[in-house]
Amino acid sequence: MGVFIKLLKQYLRVLVIFSTILAGSCGGYPRLLQFPYDTGGRGLNSPTVELMPHISDANIVFVSDRNGSQDVYLFDADRRQLVELPGLNSLNAIASDPSISEDGRYIAFTSSQLGVSDIYLHDRETGLNLNLTKNLQAEVRHPNISSDGAAIAFEANRNGQWDILIYDRFGKAID
């Protein structure tokens, strides 16, 4: 047992040295991001529930119920402020599972209305939402967008089994 502990300590020491070298060579990464708590709900952290964060570059997309409904929010970490998402959230829908492309243009998310869930793609440039799964007879969840925004992978339950499907940003299945 003593030999094992000695080897474990050596391994941890090497790991710390290696991670320090890597952190120094990546411009300070990894780094701990600390954002202030905002009681008014205008920041990243608020008195309400913040769920399902996804980060891409300086964009942090997440779900919150800070305005009385479960909606998608976008936070710009560089400017340290929320970004408006006109056209994304709907009064009669519950949003979940947001994922954002590397350039921040596209946001994929799940939206549930009257117990039916679909995967949507929001284009921040046009302000439009495209229902990617409107013709898919399946329960869907957990979309994940590719870094270039060209493909969206998600889970679908068509026959009592969860499968992974991949669609392009126009709603066409990629085989």
Side-chain angles (χ1 to χ4, degrees), residues 36-80:
Y37 177 78
D38 182 351
T39 57
R42 296 173 303 273
L44 180 64
N45 299 309
S46 75
T48 61
V49 175
E50 271 73 63
L51 302 168
M52 305 167 220
H54 181 259
I55 189 166
S56 181
D57 195 30
N59 296 305
I60 303 170
V61 67
F62 62 98
V63 170
S64 177
D65 64 353
R66 60 181 67 188
N67 285 327
S69 63
Q70 189 169 308
D71 293 326
V72 174
Y73 289 83
L74 178 60
F75 185 79
D76 183 322
D78 288 340
R79 294 184 359 217
R80 294 182 169 263

Short mmCIF file of all heavy atoms in Angstrom, two decimals, residues 36-80:
data_model
loop_
_atom_site.label_atom_id
_atom_site.label_comp_id
_atom_site.label_asym_id
_atom_site.label_seq_id
_atom_site.Cartn_x
_atom_site.Cartn_y
_atom_site.Cartn_z
N PRO A 36 -20.20 38.56 -11.26
CA PRO A 36 -20.93 39.01 -10.07
C PRO A 36 -22.38 38.55 -10.08
O PRO A 36 -22.97 38.32 -11.13
CB PRO A 36 -20.83 40.53 -10.15
CG PRO A 36 -20.52 40.84 -11.57
CD PRO A 36 -19.81 39.65 -12.12
N TYR A 37 -22.92 38.45 -8.91
CA TYR A 37 -24.32 38.11 -8.70
C TYR A 37 -25.14 39.37 -8.93
O TYR A 37 -24.84 40.43 -8.38
CB TYR A 37 -24.48 37.59 -7.27
CG TYR A 37 -25.89 37.25 -6.86
CD1 TYR A 37 -26.47 36.07 -7.28
CD2 TYR A 37 -26.63 38.12 -6.06
CE1 TYR A 37 -27.75 35.75 -6.89
CE2 TYR A 37 -27.91 37.80 -5.68
CZ TYR A 37 -28.47 36.62 -6.10
OH TYR A 37 -29.74 36.30 -5.73
N ASP A 38 -26.17 39.31 -9.77
CA ASP A 38 -26.98 40.48 -10.10
C ASP A 38 -28.41 40.23 -9.63
O ASP A 38 -29.12 39.41 -10.21
CB ASP A 38 -26.94 40.72 -11.60
CG ASP A 38 -27.71 41.95 -12.04
OD1 ASP A 38 -28.43 42.55 -11.21
OD2 ASP A 38 -27.59 42.33 -13.21
N THR A 39 -28.83 40.93 -8.61
CA THR A 39 -30.18 40.73 -8.07
C THR A 39 -31.26 41.17 -9.04
O THR A 39 -32.40 40.75 -8.94
CB THR A 39 -30.35 41.49 -6.74
OG1 THR A 39 -30.06 42.88 -6.96
CG2 THR A 39 -29.42 40.94 -5.68
N GLY A 40 -30.91 42.02 -10.02
CA GLY A 40 -31.89 42.49 -11.00
C GLY A 40 -32.07 41.57 -12.18
O GLY A 40 -32.91 41.82 -13.05
N GLY A 41 -31.29 40.48 -12.27
CA GLY A 41 -31.44 39.52 -13.36
C GLY A 41 -30.83 39.98 -14.67
O GLY A 41 -31.17 39.49 -15.72
N ARG A 42 -29.91 40.95 -14.62
CA ARG A 42 -29.30 41.47 -15.85
C ARG A 42 -27.93 40.86 -16.14
O ARG A 42 -27.32 41.17 -17.14
CB ARG A 42 -29.18 42.99 -15.76
CG ARG A 42 -30.53 43.70 -15.68
CD ARG A 42 -30.36 45.19 -15.44
NE ARG A 42 -29.58 45.47 -14.23
CZ ARG A 42 -30.08 45.58 -13.00
NH1 ARG A 42 -31.36 45.42 -12.80
NH2 ARG A 42 -29.31 45.85 -11.97
N GLY A 43 -27.45 40.00 -15.26
CA GLY A 43 -26.14 39.39 -15.44
C GLY A 43 -26.25 37.89 -15.66
O GLY A 43 -27.33 37.34 -15.87
N LEU A 44 -25.11 37.24 -15.56
CA LEU A 44 -25.07 35.79 -15.73
C LEU A 44 -25.72 35.08 -14.55
O LEU A 44 -26.51 34.16 -14.71
CB LEU A 44 -23.63 35.32 -15.91
CG LEU A 44 -23.43 33.83 -16.10
CD1 LEU A 44 -24.07 33.37 -17.40
CD2 LEU A 44 -21.95 33.49 -16.10
N ASN A 45 -25.40 35.52 -13.35
CA ASN A 45 -25.93 34.91 -12.13
C ASN A 45 -27.02 35.80 -11.54
O ASN A 45 -26.86 37.00 -11.43
CB ASN A 45 -24.81 34.71 -11.12
CG ASN A 45 -23.72 33.81 -11.66
OD1 ASN A 45 -24.02 32.73 -12.14
ND2 ASN A 45 -22.49 34.25 -11.62
N SER A 46 -28.13 35.17 -11.17
CA SER A 46 -29.28 35.91 -10.64
C SER A 46 -29.91 35.11 -9.50
O SER A 46 -29.49 33.99 -9.23
CB SER A 46 -30.30 36.14 -11.76
OG SER A 46 -31.00 34.95 -12.04
N PRO A 47 -30.93 35.67 -8.85
CA PRO A 47 -31.57 34.94 -7.75
C PRO A 47 -32.41 33.74 -8.21
O PRO A 47 -32.89 32.98 -7.40
CB PRO A 47 -32.47 35.98 -7.09
CG PRO A 47 -32.32 37.25 -7.82
CD PRO A 47 -31.40 37.03 -8.97
N THR A 48 -32.58 33.57 -9.51
CA THR A 48 -33.39 32.45 -10.02
C THR A 48 -32.48 31.31 -10.46
O THR A 48 -31.27 31.38 -10.36
CB THR A 48 -34.25 32.91 -11.20
OG1 THR A 48 -33.40 33.37 -12.25
CG2 THR A 48 -35.20 34.03 -10.80
N VAL A 49 -33.10 30.28 -10.98
CA VAL A 49 -32.37 29.09 -11.41
C VAL A 49 -31.76 29.33 -12.79
O VAL A 49 -32.44 29.76 -13.71
CB VAL A 49 -33.33 27.88 -11.46
CG1 VAL A 49 -32.64 26.66 -12.02
CG2 VAL A 49 -33.89 27.60 -10.08
N GLU A 50 -30.46 29.06 -12.91
CA GLU A 50 -29.77 29.07 -14.19
C GLU A 50 -29.39 27.62 -14.50
O GLU A 50 -28.75 26.97 -13.69
CB GLU A 50 -28.50 29.93 -14.13
CG GLU A 50 -28.71 31.38 -14.47
CD GLU A 50 -29.42 32.18 -13.39
OE1 GLU A 50 -28.92 32.32 -12.29
OE2 GLU A 50 -30.52 32.67 -13.71
N LEU A 51 -29.81 27.13 -15.67
CA LEU A 51 -29.63 25.72 -16.01
C LEU A 51 -28.91 25.54 -17.33
O LEU A 51 -28.95 26.39 -18.20
CB LEU A 51 -31.00 25.04 -16.13
CG LEU A 51 -31.92 25.08 -14.93
CD1 LEU A 51 -33.31 24.64 -15.33
CD2 LEU A 51 -31.37 24.22 -13.84
N MET A 52 -28.31 24.37 -17.51
CA MET A 52 -27.81 23.87 -18.78
C MET A 52 -26.88 24.83 -19.51
O MET A 52 -27.07 25.13 -20.68
CB MET A 52 -28.98 23.50 -19.68
CG MET A 52 -29.94 22.53 -19.07
SD MET A 52 -31.46 22.46 -20.03
CE MET A 52 -32.66 22.37 -18.72
N PRO A 53 -25.83 25.35 -18.87
CA PRO A 53 -24.95 26.28 -19.58
C PRO A 53 -24.12 25.59 -20.66
O PRO A 53 -23.73 24.45 -20.52
CB PRO A 53 -24.06 26.81 -18.46
CG PRO A 53 -24.00 25.69 -17.47
CD PRO A 53 -25.37 25.06 -17.52
N HIS A 54 -23.90 26.31 -21.72
CA HIS A 54 -23.03 25.85 -22.80
C HIS A 54 -22.18 27.05 -23.21
O HIS A 54 -22.70 28.14 -23.42
CB HIS A 54 -23.87 25.36 -23.99
CG HIS A 54 -23.04 24.85 -25.12
ND1 HIS A 54 -22.78 25.59 -26.25
CD2 HIS A 54 -22.39 23.68 -25.29
CE1 HIS A 54 -22.02 24.89 -27.06
NE2 HIS A 54 -21.78 23.73 -26.51
N ILE A 55 -20.88 26.85 -23.28
CA ILE A 55 -19.97 27.95 -23.59
C ILE A 55 -19.29 27.73 -24.92
O ILE A 55 -18.94 26.59 -25.26
CB ILE A 55 -18.94 28.15 -22.45
CG1 ILE A 55 -18.13 29.42 -22.67
CG2 ILE A 55 -18.04 26.94 -22.32
CD1 ILE A 55 -17.34 29.86 -21.45
N SER A 56 -19.14 28.80 -25.66
CA SER A 56 -18.43 28.77 -26.94
C SER A 56 -17.78 30.13 -27.11
O SER A 56 -18.47 31.14 -27.24
CB SER A 56 -19.42 28.49 -28.07
OG SER A 56 -18.75 28.44 -29.29
N ASP A 57 -16.46 30.13 -27.08
CA ASP A 57 -15.69 31.37 -27.15
C ASP A 57 -16.13 32.26 -25.98
O ASP A 57 -16.05 31.83 -24.85
CB ASP A 57 -15.85 32.03 -28.51
CG ASP A 57 -14.81 33.11 -28.76
OD1 ASP A 57 -13.69 32.99 -28.24
OD2 ASP A 57 -15.12 34.08 -29.49
N ALA A 58 -16.59 33.46 -26.25
CA ALA A 58 -16.99 34.37 -25.16
C ALA A 58 -18.49 34.29 -24.89
O ALA A 58 -19.01 35.03 -24.05
CB ALA A 58 -16.61 35.79 -25.51
N ASN A 59 -19.21 33.41 -25.59
CA ASN A 59 -20.66 33.30 -25.43
C ASN A 59 -21.02 32.19 -24.46
O ASN A 59 -20.55 31.07 -24.60
CB ASN A 59 -21.32 33.03 -26.78
CG ASN A 59 -21.14 34.16 -27.74
OD1 ASN A 59 -21.49 35.29 -27.44
ND2 ASN A 59 -20.59 33.88 -28.90
N ILE A 60 -21.90 32.51 -23.52
CA ILE A 60 -22.43 31.51 -22.61
C ILE A 60 -23.94 31.52 -22.80
O ILE A 60 -24.60 32.54 -22.55
CB ILE A 60 -22.08 31.81 -21.14
CG1 ILE A 60 -20.57 31.91 -20.97
CG2 ILE A 60 -22.68 30.74 -20.22
CD1 ILE A 60 -20.13 32.46 -19.62
N VAL A 61 -24.48 30.42 -23.28
CA VAL A 61 -25.91 30.29 -23.47
C VAL A 61 -26.43 29.38 -22.36
O VAL A 61 -25.79 28.40 -21.99
CB VAL A 61 -26.24 29.79 -24.90
CG1 VAL A 61 -25.78 28.38 -25.12
CG2 VAL A 61 -27.70 29.93 -25.22
N PHE A 62 -27.60 29.71 -21.81
CA PHE A 62 -28.16 28.96 -20.70
C PHE A 62 -29.66 29.18 -20.62
O PHE A 62 -30.21 30.02 -21.34
CB PHE A 62 -27.49 29.37 -19.38
CG PHE A 62 -27.70 30.82 -19.00
CD1 PHE A 62 -28.69 31.20 -18.11
CD2 PHE A 62 -26.90 31.81 -19.55
CE1 PHE A 62 -28.88 32.53 -17.78
CE2 PHE A 62 -27.07 33.15 -19.22
CZ PHE A 62 -28.07 33.50 -18.33
N VAL A 63 -30.31 28.42 -19.76
CA VAL A 63 -31.75 28.55 -19.53
C VAL A 63 -31.96 29.12 -18.14
O VAL A 63 -31.26 28.77 -17.20
CB VAL A 63 -32.45 27.17 -19.67
CG1 VAL A 63 -33.89 27.24 -19.22
CG2 VAL A 63 -32.37 26.68 -21.10
N SER A 64 -32.93 30.02 -18.03
CA SER A 64 -33.27 30.60 -16.74
C SER A 64 -34.76 30.90 -16.69
O SER A 64 -35.39 31.11 -17.72
CB SER A 64 -32.48 31.90 -16.53
OG SER A 64 -32.84 32.52 -15.31
N ASP A 65 -35.29 30.92 -15.48
CA ASP A 65 -36.70 31.29 -15.31
C ASP A 65 -36.82 32.68 -14.68
O ASP A 65 -37.79 33.01 -14.04
CB ASP A 65 -37.46 30.24 -14.50
CG ASP A 65 -36.96 30.11 -13.08
OD1 ASP A 65 -35.93 30.72 -12.72
OD2 ASP A 65 -37.60 29.38 -12.30
N ARG A 66 -35.83 33.53 -14.89
CA ARG A 66 -35.77 34.85 -14.25
C ARG A 66 -36.90 35.78 -14.64
O ARG A 66 -37.18 36.74 -13.93
CB ARG A 66 -34.42 35.51 -14.49
CG ARG A 66 -34.07 35.74 -15.93
CD ARG A 66 -32.72 36.38 -16.13
NE ARG A 66 -31.66 35.47 -15.72
CZ ARG A 66 -30.39 35.79 -15.63
NH1 ARG A 66 -30.00 37.00 -15.93
NH2 ARG A 66 -29.50 34.92 -15.25
N ASN A 67 -37.58 35.54 -15.76
CA ASN A 67 -38.71 36.39 -16.15
C ASN A 67 -40.04 35.66 -16.02
O ASN A 67 -41.02 36.02 -16.66
CB ASN A 67 -38.52 36.91 -17.58
CG ASN A 67 -37.50 38.01 -17.64
OD1 ASN A 67 -37.36 38.80 -16.70
ND2 ASN A 67 -36.76 38.08 -18.72
N GLY A 68 -40.07 34.60 -15.23
CA GLY A 68 -41.32 33.89 -14.99
C GLY A 68 -41.59 32.73 -15.92
O GLY A 68 -42.58 32.02 -15.75
N SER A 69 -40.76 32.55 -16.94
CA SER A 69 -40.89 31.38 -17.82
C SER A 69 -39.50 30.88 -18.14
O SER A 69 -38.52 31.62 -18.08
CB SER A 69 -41.65 31.74 -19.11
OG SER A 69 -40.93 32.69 -19.85
N GLN A 70 -39.39 29.62 -18.49
CA GLN A 70 -38.10 29.00 -18.75
C GLN A 70 -37.66 29.36 -20.17
O GLN A 70 -38.17 28.82 -21.14
CB GLN A 70 -38.19 27.49 -18.56
CG GLN A 70 -36.85 26.79 -18.62
CD GLN A 70 -36.93 25.36 -18.18
OE1 GLN A 70 -37.46 25.06 -17.11
NE2 GLN A 70 -36.41 24.47 -18.99
N ASP A 71 -36.70 30.30 -20.27
CA ASP A 71 -36.26 30.83 -21.55
C ASP A 71 -34.76 30.67 -21.73
O ASP A 71 -34.02 30.46 -20.77
CB ASP A 71 -36.59 32.32 -21.66
CG ASP A 71 -38.09 32.59 -21.72
OD1 ASP A 71 -38.82 31.77 -22.31
OD2 ASP A 71 -38.52 33.62 -21.19
N VAL A 72 -34.30 30.83 -22.97
CA VAL A 72 -32.88 30.79 -23.30
C VAL A 72 -32.31 32.20 -23.18
O VAL A 72 -32.92 33.18 -23.62
CB VAL A 72 -32.66 30.26 -24.74
CG1 VAL A 72 -31.20 30.36 -25.14
CG2 VAL A 72 -33.16 28.83 -24.86
N TYR A 73 -31.12 32.30 -22.59
CA TYR A 73 -30.41 33.57 -22.43
C TYR A 73 -29.00 33.42 -22.99
O TYR A 73 -28.44 32.33 -23.00
CB TYR A 73 -30.32 33.97 -20.96
CG TYR A 73 -31.65 34.39 -20.39
CD1 TYR A 73 -32.56 33.46 -19.92
CD2 TYR A 73 -32.00 35.74 -20.34
CE1 TYR A 73 -33.79 33.84 -19.41
CE2 TYR A 73 -33.23 36.14 -19.83
CZ TYR A 73 -34.11 35.18 -19.36
OH TYR A 73 -35.32 35.57 -18.86
N LEU A 74 -28.46 34.54 -23.43
CA LEU A 74 -27.10 34.57 -23.94
C LEU A 74 -26.32 35.65 -23.19
O LEU A 74 -26.78 36.78 -23.06
CB LEU A 74 -27.09 34.89 -25.44
CG LEU A 74 -25.74 35.02 -26.12
CD1 LEU A 74 -24.93 33.73 -26.01
CD2 LEU A 74 -25.92 35.42 -27.57
N PHE A 75 -25.16 35.25 -22.67
CA PHE A 75 -24.30 36.17 -21.92
C PHE A 75 -22.98 36.32 -22.65
O PHE A 75 -22.35 35.32 -23.01
CB PHE A 75 -24.07 35.63 -20.50
CG PHE A 75 -23.31 36.56 -19.61
CD1 PHE A 75 -23.94 37.64 -19.00
CD2 PHE A 75 -21.96 36.36 -19.38
CE1 PHE A 75 -23.24 38.49 -18.17
CE2 PHE A 75 -21.24 37.20 -18.55
CZ PHE A 75 -21.88 38.27 -17.94
N ASP A 76 -22.57 37.55 -22.91
CA ASP A 76 -21.29 37.85 -23.53
C ASP A 76 -20.27 38.02 -22.41
O ASP A 76 -20.31 38.99 -21.66
CB ASP A 76 -21.39 39.13 -24.37
CG ASP A 76 -20.11 39.45 -25.11
OD1 ASP A 76 -19.02 39.25 -24.55
OD2 ASP A 76 -20.21 39.93 -26.25
N ALA A 77 -19.35 37.06 -22.28
CA ALA A 77 -18.39 37.07 -21.17
C ALA A 77 -17.37 38.20 -21.32
O ALA A 77 -16.87 38.70 -20.31
CB ALA A 77 -17.67 35.72 -21.10
N ASP A 78 -17.06 38.59 -22.55
CA ASP A 78 -16.11 39.69 -22.73
C ASP A 78 -16.72 41.03 -22.30
O ASP A 78 -16.08 41.81 -21.60
CB ASP A 78 -15.66 39.79 -24.19
CG ASP A 78 -14.74 38.66 -24.60
OD1 ASP A 78 -14.14 38.02 -23.70
OD2 ASP A 78 -14.61 38.41 -25.82
N ARG A 79 -17.94 41.29 -22.73
CA ARG A 79 -18.62 42.55 -22.36
C ARG A 79 -19.31 42.46 -21.01
O ARG A 79 -19.80 43.46 -20.51
CB ARG A 79 -19.61 42.92 -23.45
CG ARG A 79 -18.89 43.24 -24.76
CD ARG A 79 -19.78 43.72 -25.89
NE ARG A 79 -21.19 43.79 -25.62
CZ ARG A 79 -22.14 43.49 -26.48
NH1 ARG A 79 -21.83 43.07 -27.68
NH2 ARG A 79 -23.41 43.59 -26.16
N ARG A 80 -19.42 41.23 -20.48
CA ARG A 80 -20.04 40.97 -19.18
C ARG A 80 -21.48 41.50 -19.11
O ARG A 80 -21.86 42.19 -18.18
CB ARG A 80 -19.20 41.56 -18.05
CG ARG A 80 -17.86 40.86 -17.92
CD ARG A 80 -17.05 41.39 -16.76
NE ARG A 80 -15.91 40.53 -16.54
CZ ARG A 80 -15.85 39.56 -15.64
NH1 ARG A 80 -16.86 39.32 -14.86
NH2 ARG A 80 -14.77 38.83 -15.51
#
